[in-house]
Amino acid sequence: MKRSEQDIVNVLQHVRYEIEMLCHPQLISDSVYINNALLESRLIHARSLIEFFSPKTHVHETDVRPEHFGFQSSDVGVDEDTVVRIHRDIAHISYDRLDRTPETKKWFYGTFMPSIAKRSLGFVRHVLKTFSHQMAPGEVEGWRALEPRLTTL
């Protein structure tokens, strides 16, 4: 189904939200439940962006893809083991969780977040160059605010 130009501009706010959620600093709480919720939230947003940017052989008609904005999908640079781990350990209840030790259960953001941030930054710059004249001023500012945040991930 071909989307209208207005739909394409309107859905950008949802892509921006995914990128914004990736950019939030890691918070630490006294509660293990809050810490787990924050960790899982960040990983789910990372997963959404990996899937958004990566080439796909099967695309659902309602999936938002970078090509809708004139931006080429390509491998984000996150290793397949990490992608599968996010998928199996966070988004599904799987027996893979039995294989985790306290040491292997840890997440090392520095091994995969910079790749997602770099791809996101390229997309942000493309959106600002291509769509800023069609977006509301507040939306443009939201996109601009992402640039410095992405360079520090």
Side-chain angles (χ1 to χ4, degrees), residues 36-48:
N36 285 346
L38 292 168
L39 168 72
E40 292 166 5
S41 172
R42 196 166 199 205
L43 290 169
I44 287 295
H45 292 290
R47 180 179 185 241
S48 293

Side-chain angles (χ1 to χ4, degrees), residues 1 3 29 38 45 47 50 57-58 61 71 73 84 90 93-94 96 102 109 115-116 121 137-138 146 149-150:
M1 174 178 175
R3 296 291 175 167
S29 169
L38 292 168
H45 292 290
R47 180 179 185 241
I50 291 167
T57 54
H58 174 72
E61 71 177 48
F71 192 81
S73 61
V84 169
I90 301 299
I93 300 173
S94 74
D96 295 346
Y109 289 123
S115 297
I116 302 168
L121 182 59
L146 289 171
R149 293 167 68 192
L150 286 166

Side-chain angles (χ1 to χ4, degrees), residues 5 9 127-137 140 144:
E5 185 73 20
V9 171
V127 165
L128 287 168
K129 180 180 173 187
T130 309
F131 293 95
S132 61
H133 66 283
Q134 294 173 275
M135 293 188 283
V140 173
R144 283 189 184 130

Side-chain angles (χ1 to χ4, degrees), residues 22-85:
L22 190 75
C23 292
H24 282 285
Q26 276 183 268
L27 303 173
I28 298 175
S29 169
D30 292 333
S31 168
V32 67
Y33 302 108
I34 292 173
N35 287 335
N36 285 346
L38 292 168
L39 168 72
E40 292 166 5
S41 172
R42 196 166 199 205
L43 290 169
I44 287 295
H45 292 290
R47 180 179 185 241
S48 293
L49 289 167
I50 291 167
E51 287 195 12
F52 172 72
F53 288 123
S54 297
K56 293 177 103 175
T57 54
H58 174 72
V59 177
H60 190 276
E61 71 177 48
T62 61
D63 287 350
V64 177
R65 302 293 302 145
E67 290 85 0
H68 297 163
F69 311 99
F71 192 81
Q72 187 64 41
S73 61
S74 67
D75 188 324
V76 177
V78 176
D79 70 271
E80 187 62 24
D81 289 343
T82 299
V83 174
V84 169
R85 183 170 174 220

